[in-house]
Amino acid sequence: MAKPNFFNENLNRSYPFKVGTVDLTKAVAGAVTLANLPDEFIVDCGFVLGPLSEFSEQLNQVYLSRISRPTSTTILFEFSCDAWGVSKPLIFTRHSTDPDFTSEYVESQQDSVSESTDSCSEPDWSGYLVTGSTAALFSMITMGQNIIRQATEAVVETTLIQNLYNNQVVSISLANADRTRAVRPEACPALEWNFLPGQVFIQTSCLQGDLIFRPGYNCTISQLGQTNTLQLQAIEEAGAGQPCEQVPKFPAETAPTNTENELFEGDHYCNEVLRTINGLQGPGLTIYAGTGVSIVPAENELTIDINLRDLSLCTYSAVSESL
Amino acid sequence: MQTLYPELLPSLENTTYPFLPTASLSNGSVFFLEGTFLDAHIYAVNGVGNYYISSVQVSSKQIKFNLGDLSNADLISGTVDLPILDSVIELTDAFGRSAGMLVSEPSRLALFTTWGVGTHRFERSQTEFVITCQMPVPGAGVTGFVLPDGSFVTGHVWFVGEEGVVVRHEVGEDKEGNPVDLIRVDIVGDPLFLQKLCNPESLFVPVNPIKIVRVVADNQTFDCTPDEYGNISIQMNDALAADAALRVRTTDVGLVISVEGSATMD
């Protein structure tokens, strides 16, 4: 006698479901539920939970959530997962003409709502299903029947789940936080940009495949093979050297519209403001009136009067003439 | 009574499964019984296959199973606390990422409580798992970025340049001349960041700096602007008189403008 193979054996046992979650009682045609799901319906399955699935072995499970027969020749098997990152079920289709032990591989459909991340997302999850007797399926499930899971039925064996959550970098996106921007005093007109400052500006999103790091201005990048580490260092003049112009935080960044220079910050160049007088720097600088001099402030004006105050004057003095 | 169609796990209890049929299941001092484990599912993200139990660490509080592969004897591990209540031992890698499971029952795992406290090591030939328990993992490339504090990030990862660092996307060429995405890192500073750092709550008090010194002399007006370093000089002019009395002195306390001469004798 030929030894029964794996699928044949599974026609008569709960596998791939956990024992006690299916085939609890004998099902009759037209009254199939997931609690009494006949063993011969499904003989094998397996699921891969993707890197964004947030699946946890302690908290989550995969289960058959629905069987339906929308047309006379089609039966749908819907598997679901209660992990937070899995939003769509996997739906397998069987036709009345399919041979016994038909297998099918399915990936979850992408969620069209979050297009920005879906353009480079992995499927939430994927799986395969091997059904047993096609004749039994179409004889037991009647046209239009919709069998929905109740509570704790039809739970897939945990060893048939491969959990890849947190197991890979799916994509890399680049962005820059805003630079520190100048603020004008209250009495002055506020700086105006043609964009909203203070944001994180997206440079590009969803880079995938082989990527190369390039050291730009004042930057070196080294690879430490021993520790599998990329080391980025700030070193003056390294990499591409010093920039000749300001580096924009995003391609369309411009200076404020109401300034005289092109500084992105809205500030002043070093040579546009008085940083020192005779080498003395502020923020407060005192000018003393010594002997023979008076200094009179008025608003934004200093009058330095060389009036020879407190000095002995001679009628033939040439000092005052030289001034 | 013989069960005609036993469930999967009971059907495996008297076999060496999930170990290879050729595995000795013993290191000479301790041994696994057939049926100690009923099933296994191993898929370490950085593993290369040929998984085996490299050691079992028995302590008074828990039993730790270390699994290795061809390249690393301590690639993944799983623990079960004492007293044993769990049937499934979850396996994780060094970063806590799921790497599979060993399936057993508390009564079967009780075997390990009979082993002495300590570490029991095994060779691959003694405890290698069958290939059907070892699931290949897609070559995902970079599986995560480990941060200095030991945590790691995966999934959709964002690189955000801030505090003077700018990251940009460029397209370059690889050695074969094929286009390749580049991540360029520029370290250019943030000129006003020091002020932000000192007073992050209110950023900084806006200043209204002096940009021009305007000199008004009689009917003439001169605008003096700073040089390239932002400096301006106020000097006395001694070109017209060798004995000029005007003095402009720079002192520690400020700029002193005075005239040399004898004080009034009162």
Side-chain angles (χ1 to χ4, degrees), chain B residues 189-202:
Chain B
D190 188 356
L192 302 182
F193 178 70
L194 266 184
Q195 296 184 61
K196 181 181 175 184
L197 195 66
C198 294
N199 191 5
E201 295 303 319
S202 59

Side-chain angles (χ1 to χ4, degrees), chain A residues 6 8-10 12-15 17 19 39 51-52 57-58 117 120-121 157-186 188 200 202-208 210-219 221 232-235 240 243 246-249 260 265 267-268 270-280 285-293 295 304 306 308 310-312 318-319 322-323, chain B residues 5-9 11 39-41 43 45 88 90 93 97-101 103 135-138 140 142-145 152-170 172-174 180-193 195-196 203-204 206-213 224-235 237 240-241 243-246 248 250-265:
Chain A
F6 185 59
N8 280 327
E9 290 179 347
N10 292 346
N12 297 290
R13 59 188 180 195
S14 303
Y15 190 89
F17 297 101
V19 175
D39 291 335
L52 304 173
E57 284 84 354
Q58 293 109 344
T117 55
C120 64
S121 276
E157 279 281 0
T158 50
T159 51
L160 296 173
I161 297 168
Q162 187 175 18
N163 180 15
L164 299 185
Y165 171 55
N166 252 350
N167 273 358
Q168 74 180 73
V169 173
V170 176
S171 73
I172 288 178
S173 302
L174 304 180
N176 291 302
D178 199 8
R179 64 182 76 246
T180 312
R181 298 188 182 274
V183 179
R184 280 187 169 170
E186 282 182 13
C188 301
V200 173
I202 297 174
Q203 281 271 349
T204 189
S205 58
C206 294
L207 293 175
Q208 289 183 308
D210 292 337
L211 298 175
I212 295 175
F213 281 92
R214 170 182 279 178
Y217 301 122
N218 304 314
C219 179
I221 299 175
L232 286 80
Q233 285 182 289
I235 297 178
Q246 280 196 294
V247 177
K249 289 283 186 179
E260 297 161 2
E265 291 87 359
D267 200 18
H268 305 285
C270 297
N271 61 353
E272 287 183 328
V273 296
L274 258 67
R275 294 162 63 87
T276 62
I277 295 177
N278 288 11
L280 295 174
L285 176 66
T286 308
I287 299 178
Y288 287 93
T291 314
V293 176
I295 298 176
I304 302 175
I306 315 294
L308 306 182
D310 298 334
L311 287 176
S312 299
V319 172
S322 66
L323 287 171
Chain B
Y5 297 110
E7 292 291 345
L8 178 70
L9 295 183
S11 73
D39 202 356
H41 194 216
Y43 49 84
V45 65
V88 174
E90 291 171 12
D93 67 9
R97 298 181 293 197
S98 179
M101 64 188 64
V103 179
M135 300 302 295
V137 175
V142 178
T143 59
F145 291 101
F152 68 99
V153 291
T154 61
H156 294 300
V157 177
W158 283 85
F159 288 174
V160 180
E162 60 179 19
E163 299 179 4
V165 177
V166 178
V167 291
R168 290 187 281 174
H169 172 226
E170 295 181 345
E173 289 185 347
D174 63 12
V180 61
D181 288 313
L182 300 174
I183 298 173
R184 175 177 171 140
V185 182
D186 293 306
I187 302 173
V188 291
D190 188 356
L192 302 182
F193 178 70
Q195 296 184 61
K196 181 181 175 184
L203 189 57
F204 56 87
V207 293
N208 200 0
I210 297 173
K211 299 174 73 174
I212 295 172
V213 172
C224 298
T225 55
D227 64 12
E228 60 181 318
Y229 304 107
N231 190 32
I232 191 170
S233 287
I234 299 177
Q235 297 175 342
N237 184 353
L240 299 177
D243 55 350
L246 183 63
V248 179
T250 303
T251 70
D252 291 340
V253 294
L255 200 65
V256 179
I257 301 173
S258 63
V259 175
E260 291 298 318
S262 300
T264 305
M265 301 295 287

Side-chain angles (χ1 to χ4, degrees), chain B residues 41-53:
Chain B
H41 194 216
I42 307 166
Y43 49 84
V45 65
N46 290 323
V48 293
N50 292 81
Y51 297 104
Y52 69 106
I53 294 181

Side-chain angles (χ1 to χ4, degrees), chain A residues 66-118:
Chain A
R66 179 198 299 252
I67 302 175
S68 60
R69 187 175 176 182
T71 68
S72 61
T73 59
T74 306
I75 290 178
L76 304 179
F77 292 89
E78 183 178 299
F79 282 83
S80 299
C81 175
D82 56 6
W84 188 86
V86 177
S87 56
K88 297 280 180 68
L90 294 181
I91 300 175
F92 301 88
T93 307
R94 286 295 174 274
H95 303 286
S96 54
T97 53
D98 287 339
D100 290 349
F101 305 125
T102 294
S103 60
E104 180 186 6
Y105 177 82
V106 168
E107 285 185 351
S108 64
Q109 300 297 309
Q110 298 302 304
D111 188 350
S112 59
V113 175
S114 52
E115 289 177 359
S116 59
T117 55
D118 281 347

